[in-house]
Amino acid sequence: MNLKYFLLTFCAVFLITTVKAQEPAATAEIILKEAYQQAAKEKKNVFVIFHASWCGWCHKMDEAMNDASCKSLFNDQYVIRHLVVNESPQNKKLENPGAQEVLAKFHGDKQGIPFWLILDKNGKLLADSQIRPQGAGLDVVGENIGCPSKKEEIAAFNKVLKNTSRLTEQQLGVISKRFEAINTGH
C-alpha cells in the first residue's frame, strides 16, 4: 500500500509541476502593477531589469546584485523585478507579454540587454541604464551601460543609485567594488 500512495503522490506532483511549467509567463502589466503596489507600501522605488535566459551580461548583473555583499543593499532600497525579452525562438514562452512594448516605451528596444529602469511607485521614470550627455533629459537616447563593469559605467550606475535611493557613500562603495570584480572574475 505504501508504494501505491508513493506512486500516486509522485504522479500528482509530476502532473502539477508539468501544468505549472506550461503556464504562460505573467504579463509585464501584472508584474509592474504588483511592483508599484509593493513599492508604495514599502516606500521604495522599482528597479526593472530587462533580460533573457541566453544573456551572459544579464546573468552577471544578477550575480552582482545578488552577491552577499550587495543583495540587502539593493533589496532594502528597491522592489526588483525582471521582464524577459528577446528570447531565442525555443524560449519565446519565457517572455513576459507586453515587456517588449515597455522596453520600447522607455527607449530600450534598440539598446541591447540587460537594460534597466528605475521607476517610482506610480511608474514614473526616474532613471535608466543609458549614459547621456551632461544635462540631457531622460527622453534623449543615450548609450546603454547594461551591466556596469567599466570604471565610467560603474560611476554612472552609482550616480543613478545615489539619486534614486538612500544608499550611503560607504554602501555605494561596496556596490562599486562588487561590480568592479566582474572584470577580474572574482
Side-chain angles (χ1 to χ4, degrees), residues 17 47 51 57 66 97 105 129 140 143 145 177:
T17 304
F47 196 118
H51 72 136
W57 282 105
N66 287 305
K105 174 183 174 183
S129 58
V140 173
E143 182 181 337
I145 63 174
K177 186 174 181 181

Side-chain angles (χ1 to χ4, degrees), residues 46-125:
V46 178
F47 196 118
V48 179
I49 304 169
F50 294 88
H51 72 136
S53 63
W54 55 263
C55 174
W57 282 105
C58 300
H59 294 293
K60 288 179 182 188
M61 178 107 182
D62 282 341
E63 288 169 14
M65 290 178 71
N66 287 305
D67 186 88
S69 65
C70 295
K71 185 174 178 127
S72 67
L73 299 177
F74 283 104
N75 289 340
D76 289 348
Q77 300 297 316
Y78 301 100
V79 173
I80 301 168
R81 293 294 180 270
H82 291 79
L83 292 176
V84 180
V85 294
N86 303 338
E87 275 295 345
S88 54
Q90 69 270 21
N91 287 328
K92 283 290 184 189
K93 65 186 175 296
L94 300 175
E95 289 184 0
N96 299 105
Q100 192 66 42
E101 291 76 9
V102 175
L103 184 63
K105 174 183 174 183
F106 292 105
H107 311 293
D109 53 329
K110 294 175 178 59
Q111 293 287 332
I113 53 176
F115 185 85
W116 44 266
L117 308 169
I118 299 180
L119 306 158
D120 72 7
K121 65 181 181 195
N122 299 311
K124 178 185 174 203
L125 181 64

